[in-house]
Amino acid sequence: MASEPDIETTAADLRRRLAWQLEKDGWLRSPEWRAAVEAVPRHRFIPRFYRESDAAGVTTWEPVTQETAGIEEWLRLVYTDETWMTQFDGRDIDWADPKPISNAVPTSSSTLPGLVVRMLEDLDVQDSMRVLEIGTGTGYSTALMCHRLGSEKVTSIETDDGVARRAREALTGSGHTPHLLVGDGRAGHRSGAPYDRLIATCGFRSIPPAWLEQVRPGGLILTTLRGWMRSLGLVKLIVTGGSASGRFSEDDPSFMIARQQDAPGSLGMVPGPDDGTKRKAAYGPELLSTSGPAFMAQLAAPDARFFSMAVDGGPVSTFLLDSVTDSFAVLAPTDGGWQVRQGGPRRLWDVVESAVGTWEEYGSPNTTAFGVTVTRDQQVVWLGNPNGPQWPLPS
């Protein structure tokens, strides 16, 4: 087995290769962040993790450790531009005897370095700036910021005690001592305010009001907005004292949703076969999984989720259920199209089709055409400009 000095020498070489690749791919754009990537030992933050199996059938994750994969393969995987899972269903893993995991929901991970450094570059920090991070996770991104700005400038909040403990150990072992807290990231950390920058490494349904109060005027908030059906995307907001505004990025990186905003366990009441009123649908259920239309569906029906199943041995139907209002829409195939059956306080498919129609009228733009404006009284996503079509974010 390789000795500890051999591991560190190999890891340093792999970090340089990773930094070169991230720069080539356009994610690393500054020498300061490149130096951080080359210095921070990612293997200290994910000494053990899970990767998705490529076996057919139910999704299964396999443990990766020095013992299960061998040191060379373990290090190679650590320093690839991939996301690795470190927790499922909010429970600690028994690493004394790790087993493959199936039928579980990932609840913590080490995000792919390309996305991490892309967000850090977008954060546009300068020397002496103070940063509040929401979602410490493994502590890898925290360590990159500590290297760039100094530990005293970094505050990070993690909601999970076990995850926070392991991150603290890895950070301390790597020579970093940021201010680490365990709690609800939506509340921020008032006693440490004001911050120059706030970055969230988990998804939120809307911008917590406390963030507006704790980031100084002219400061930036960088976070992913998402819903219960899909991610909306990464948004960069400029704070102007009690409000903030900005646009979405071109792509839609997806983070795990903040646990305090996770969807209810129940999808809602499944309607009976005769419930609701029927009409011909202008769009079929494919729009729920097609990038642009799905973005609009998430905006139009922020509290909804969907699934598909065969009904009474017949064709597969798609159910769109809103557990907050008990509204529903059921899409069933017909000769030459789709029929929708709707009920409840909101006509879900009506509002989805209307939103998609508006998007098409504007030329089916990508997410950079959309922006977000947040005030103490309301939060909206707008298309084109702040005076264009608007959709409220959940409170």
Side-chain angles (χ1 to χ4, degrees), residues 12 173 177 201-202 217 256 281:
T177 55
T201 57
C202 49
M256 299 172 190

Side-chain angles (χ1 to χ4, degrees), residues 6 12 15 29 57 67 73-74 152 175-176 188 216 236 239 249 274 284 302 314 327 330 336 351 361 373:
D6 290 337
R15 285 197 296 276
R29 304 188 298 272
E67 293 74 24
E73 177 66 2
W74 164 69
E152 71 281 2
H176 302 297
R216 66 167 175 80
K236 183 176 180 179
V239 178
S249 64
D274 299 320
S327 302
V330 183
V351 297
E361 289 174 9
T373 296

Side-chain angles (χ1 to χ4, degrees), residues 45-109:
F45 295 88
I46 47 171
R48 300 168 294 272
F49 54 91
Y50 273 78
R51 61 175 169 180
E52 187 173 338
S53 169
D54 56 6
V58 64
T59 300
T60 300
W61 288 270
E62 299 173 337
V64 177
T65 67
Q66 294 184 40
E67 293 74 24
T68 62
I71 290 179
E72 289 187 5
E73 177 66 2
W74 164 69
L75 278 174
R76 184 190 70 80
L77 291 171
V78 165
Y79 289 104
T80 55
D81 192 19
E82 297 285 349
T83 294
W84 303 122
M85 302 303 163
T86 54
Q87 189 193 63
F88 298 86
D89 295 331
R91 296 194 292 265
D92 286 348
I93 293 166
D94 179 11
W95 285 110
D97 185 26
K99 304 290 187 184
I101 294 176
S102 302
N103 297 314
V105 177
T107 48
S108 190
S109 68

Side-chain angles (χ1 to χ4, degrees), residues 19 24 106 155 158 222 232 249 260 262 273 280 339:
K24 179 182 176 184
T155 299
E158 171 57 48
L222 187 66
L232 289 171
S249 64
Q260 294 81 4
D262 206 356
K280 182 176 181 177
Q339 179 187 79

